[in-house]
Amino acid sequence: MNNNALHTVEVQIREQVCAYCESNNVPGFVAGVYHAGEQIVVAHGTANVATGAPMLEDTGFLFGSVTKVMTTTLVLQQVERGVLDLDTPVVKYLPEFALTIPGAADKVLVRHLISHTNGIDADLFFPDAKGRDALKIYVEGLASSCGSLFEPGEQVSYSNGGMIVAGRLLEVVTGIPFPELLEHDLYIPVGMQDSSTSAEQAILRSTAVGHFNDPETMAAKPTAMFTLPDTWGPAGGTPIGTIADLLAFGRTHLAGGVSPCGARVLSTESTALMQQVSFDMASPNVPPIGMGWVLYPFGDTTVLAMSGASPGGVSILCVVPEHDLVFTAYGNISGAIMLQDQILQRLLNEHLGVQTPTLITESDPDVDLTPYVGTYRSNQLRVDVSIVDGQLEERTTYEPADESQRRIFTEFAGGTASAPPQRYVPIRPGLFAPAGYPHEAFDGYLRLLLVSYHHVRDGQARFRNGGGRLTRRA
C-alpha cells in the first residue's frame, strides 16, 4: 500500500463506518491504520450521547483486554532483566498466591499466566477495591473464592485472572504499583503520550464512554459504570488511551520491540517469543495462543490480535507482521465488534491481497448431540445445554457469589444477568455454529462465536469452549 492507496483506505473506512453506525445504532467509532510508514485515523459520531461530545481522532477510550498484551510486555521486560523466569512457579515470587484447591497454584508457572494456560477459574471474579492494594486484595481473594479449571499447561482458556496475578507479580518483584509501572516502562518509551491508568486522569481530556441499547426504546444509553474496579487493571479494567497510542504500541511490536520514537521497549527475541505458538487447541473457534497475543490464521497470514470489552464498548488491536500493518479501533457499544471485523477483513482481502479461505464450508445434521448435553460451569457462570428440535440449545446464566459481584457484573453487562437461549447447529462432532448465521460470518474475528466441546469420555464431553473460555461439566 503506497500513500495514495492508504488515502483510498481512509475514504473507504470513513464511508463504511458512517453507513454501519447509522444503520446499527452505534453512537461513535474511531479507527486507525498504520502501513509501511504511513498512518490514518478516522473518527465518527458521538463519544457520549448524554453530553453530545463528538468522537474525535484523539478521543480517549478504555483499552479493555488489549491491556493484556501490555501486561505481557511488562512481564517479559522483567524476564530480560533477570528479575523473573518464565519457567519458575509463580509462588516462588508470590508466596500468597493460592486457589481453593490445595496445591493447584503451586503448579502455575510464570509463562502460564501470560499464555492463558494457567487454568485459574476466576474469569468473573470482581473484588471491588481501589488504590495501591487493589491487586494484593485480588490475589488474597483467589485463595477463598476461586479454583482451577484444568492442570496448568493442559489447555487454553482466556484468562483474566492470570493477567491480574501477573500484574500483582510485577508489583512484588519491582516494588512499583502496576499503574505506575505501566506508565513508566511502557507508555513513556512507546510514546503513548495521551494514555492514562484511571478515570481521574482520563476526565482531564476528551474521553468516550460506553453505551447499551435500552431494551424498550433500543436507543443507546450511556453506561452506569465507566470502568471495572482497580483490581482488574492488568486484565484491562482501567487503562485508557487513544488510537494513535495503540498504533504506536502495535508498531513497537512490528519493529521487534523498538518504539516509533526510537526507544528499545522489548528485545527482538522477546517480541518474537510473544508471537510464537504457546498452545494450539486445534479447533477453528480457538485460535492458537502466543504470549499476550492471540494468533489468528487468515489463510497463510497470521494476525496478532486482541480485542477488549469495557462497560458498553469494545476495542481491537491487530498487528500483521508479514505486511507491516497495524489496525486498531474502538466503538462505544458492543455491536461495534462486527464493524471492526468487517474492516479487518477488508484490509486483509482488498488492500493486502490476503487470500482467506472459508473456515466453515458446511454443516453436518447427522452429528450425535448427546455427548454435549449437560450443565457446564466456571466462576459464577452456568451454561445449561439441551437438545431442542435437533439442535443444541444453550442457556447461559450468571450466578453471583454476593451482592457486590452481582452489581459489578450486571453494570458491566448493561443490566442483565442472563442471556437469551441460543440454538446451535452441528458443523462436525464437537463443533457448533450459532443458528441463523451464514457460514462466511465466521471467517474473520467472529469465529469466536463458534462453540466447541472437548475431551469426550464415556459418552460425555468434559469441557465446553465459547469465546475462547472454558466451562467444565458440572
Side-chain angles (χ1 to χ4, degrees):
M1 243 191 281
N2 57 33
N3 194 21
N4 287 336
L6 199 58
H7 174 71
T8 301
V9 169
E10 179 179 0
V11 172
Q12 290 175 339
I13 290 177
R14 196 175 298 280
E15 292 173 350
Q16 188 174 359
V17 167
C18 181
Y20 187 95
C21 290
E22 296 307 317
S23 60
N24 292 278
N25 202 26
V26 175
F29 193 86
V30 59
V33 178
Y34 164 86
H35 184 255
E38 303 287 343
Q39 71 181 43
I40 54 116
V41 179
V42 170
H44 174 84
T46 306
N48 182 343
V49 300
T51 64
M55 186 77 85
L56 304 172
E57 292 181 5
D58 65 348
T59 295
F61 53 86
L62 283 156
F63 291 154
S65 288
V66 172
T67 305
K68 291 180 171 69
V69 191
M70 300 176 189
T71 300
T72 302
T73 302
L74 292 173
V75 169
L76 288 174
Q77 285 178 345
Q78 297 305 319
V79 171
E80 290 177 8
R81 295 166 190 169
V83 176
L84 290 173
D85 183 274
L86 289 174
D87 293 309
T88 294
V90 174
V91 291
K92 178 181 177 182
Y93 307 106
L94 198 60
E96 63 268 35
F97 172 47
L99 299 169
T100 56
I101 301 169
D106 300 346
K107 303 174 186 178
V108 179
L109 308 180
V110 173
R111 70 168 61 247
H112 293 143
L113 297 178
I114 54 177
S115 61
H116 301 276
T117 56
N118 50 74
I120 299 169
D121 187 10
D123 201 45
L124 296 176
F125 178 51
F126 297 106
D128 193 6
K130 293 182 71 68
R132 57 185 303 131
D133 287 334
L135 303 189
K136 181 174 184 285
I137 290 167
Y138 181 96
V139 171
E140 289 171 350
L142 290 176
S144 58
S145 302
C146 298
S148 181
L149 281 168
F150 53 84
E151 290 286 309
E154 179 187 86
Q155 298 193 63
V156 163
S157 184
Y158 186 85
S159 180
N160 290 305
M163 287 293 172
I164 299 169
V165 173
R168 176 58 183 159
L169 176 64
L170 287 166
E171 290 187 331
V172 169
V173 300
T174 65
I176 302 171
F178 179 82
E180 293 179 24
L181 188 69
L182 180 64
E183 184 173 355
H184 183 268
D185 282 14
L186 198 105
Y187 286 175
I188 291 174
V190 170
M192 300 170 69
Q193 59 188 19
D194 291 319
S195 291
S196 59
T197 58
S198 70
E200 289 80 2
Q201 291 171 318
I203 201 171
L204 299 176
R205 59 182 316 284
S206 169
T207 305
V209 303
H211 297 77
F212 296 96
N213 284 329
D214 185 289
E216 295 181 4
T217 66
M218 294 309 293
K221 296 176 61 176
T223 175
M225 176 176 70
F226 177 53
T227 72
L228 285 167
D230 288 359
T231 50
W232 270 54
T238 52
I240 299 155
T242 62
I243 287 293
D245 287 348
L246 283 188
L247 287 173
F249 179 69
R251 289 175 61 187
T252 300
H253 280 267
L254 265 186
V258 177
S259 74
C261 51
R264 169 65 69 182
V265 178
L266 203 61
S267 72
T268 304
E269 294 76 16
S270 294
T271 308
L273 182 64
M274 288 177 63
Q275 301 176 18
Q276 293 172 9
V277 176
S278 292
F279 201 98
D280 188 353
M281 292 280 283
S283 184
N285 63 314
V286 190
I289 200 89
M291 289 190 180
W293 294 112
V294 182
L295 314 178
Y296 279 79
F298 284 82
D300 296 329
T301 298
T302 297
V303 175
L304 314 174
M306 182 57 70
S307 67
S310 51
V314 61
S315 66
I316 192 169
L317 175 64
C318 299
V319 174
V320 191
E322 295 162 60
H323 293 276
D324 195 24
L325 182 135
V326 181
F327 164 62
T328 186
Y330 169 80
N332 57 2
I333 202 164
S334 61
I337 193 170
M338 304 284 234
L339 175 57
Q340 293 167 357
D341 186 39
Q342 290 173 13
I343 296 172
L344 172 62
Q345 291 195 67
R346 189 171 185 177
L347 284 169
L348 292 170
N349 299 334
E350 295 183 19
H351 301 291
L352 297 179
V354 172
Q355 299 298 310
T356 306
T358 301
L359 195 67
I360 303 298
T361 55
E362 57 185 2
S363 55
D364 183 357
D366 297 326
V367 170
D368 179 13
L369 305 182
T370 54
Y372 316 112
V373 172
T375 296
Y376 299 79
R377 289 182 182 272
S378 61
N379 178 264
Q380 302 179 71
L381 193 71
R382 169 182 175 141
V383 183
D384 293 300
V385 182
S386 59
I387 300 173
V388 179
D389 298 331
Q391 299 176 342
L392 285 186
E393 182 176 271
E394 294 188 348
R395 292 177 177 267
T396 301
T397 307
Y398 175 63
E399 299 180 328
D402 54 44
E403 179 56 28
S404 174
Q405 300 282 292
R406 186 205 64 77
R407 176 184 58 80
I408 293 169
F409 177 84
T410 53
E411 288 186 1
F412 178 76
T416 180
S418 62
Q422 175 67 59
R423 298 276 186 92
Y424 289 85
V425 296
I427 301 301
R428 67 185 192 211
L431 183 66
F432 296 82
Y437 282 75
H439 287 156
E440 59 268 21
F442 312 116
D443 288 346
Y445 203 83
L446 295 183
R447 65 191 72 184
L448 290 176
L449 294 176
L450 300 169
V451 167
S452 58
Y453 291 83
H454 303 269
H455 292 211
V456 177
R457 297 179 185 173
D458 301 321
Q460 291 188 326
R462 288 180 62 213
F463 294 96
R464 170 195 176 273
N465 193 309
R469 292 166 162 86
L470 283 181
T471 44
R472 188 171 57 189
R473 181 179 289 275

